[in-house]
Structure formats: C-alpha cells, structure tokens
Amino acid sequence: MLHTKRALGGVFVAPHHLAAQAGRDVLREGGNAAEAMIAAAAAIAVVYPHMNAIGGDGFWLLAEPGQAPRAIEACGPAAAA
C-alpha cells in the first residue's frame, strides 16, 4: 500500500537538507518560489560550496500561471552585462 506524503503549504527540494529547509521555511512564511530559491542558494553556498557560490553562474526558469516561462541566463560574460 502506498502512503503518500502531502505538503499543502509548499514543497522544496535541494541537494543538502539545510538548503531544503531554508527554502521550505521561506515558503512556510508566505514567500514565493523565487525567494525560496534565493534562500536555498545562499544556504548551498555555505553548506555545499562546490555546488554554488555567491556571485556564481545562474540559470533560472520562472513561470507564472497563464504566462509563458521566462528564462534568465546569468553565466560567464552574460552576467557582466
């Protein structure tokens, strides 16, 4: 029998449990997905620095209901502009 966990207030996944908790906490306090991602990225820079660092490259895909997704590529020379 399957026992499905439910999270009605938001779900967040990250490669380190402390980063996932940071993102989840932002959602729990009423923040949006972009704010939760920024919190998780900041946590990753501390607890998993080989995966991410402040000022590093960024690849974002943001989507709002009823609108086309927007992509942000902030890597290498693109971030300098």
Side-chain angles (χ1 to χ4, degrees):
M1 176 179 233
L2 293 175
H3 296 284
T4 303
K5 300 228 180 221
R6 297 177 190 266
L8 302 176
V11 175
F12 202 91
V13 177
H16 193 281
H17 70 96
L18 292 174
Q21 288 175 4
R24 180 207 57 200
D25 290 349
V26 169
L27 293 175
R28 183 180 287 162
E29 295 295 321
N32 62 37
E35 293 166 336
M37 184 277 313
I38 291 168
I44 286 288
V46 175
V47 299
Y48 219 23
H50 65 283
M51 294 294 292
N52 186 35
I54 300 298
D57 293 344
F59 304 92
W60 296 26
L61 184 61
L62 302 171
E64 295 183 52
Q67 296 183 14
R70 292 177 286 157
I72 299 173
E73 181 182 359
C75 65

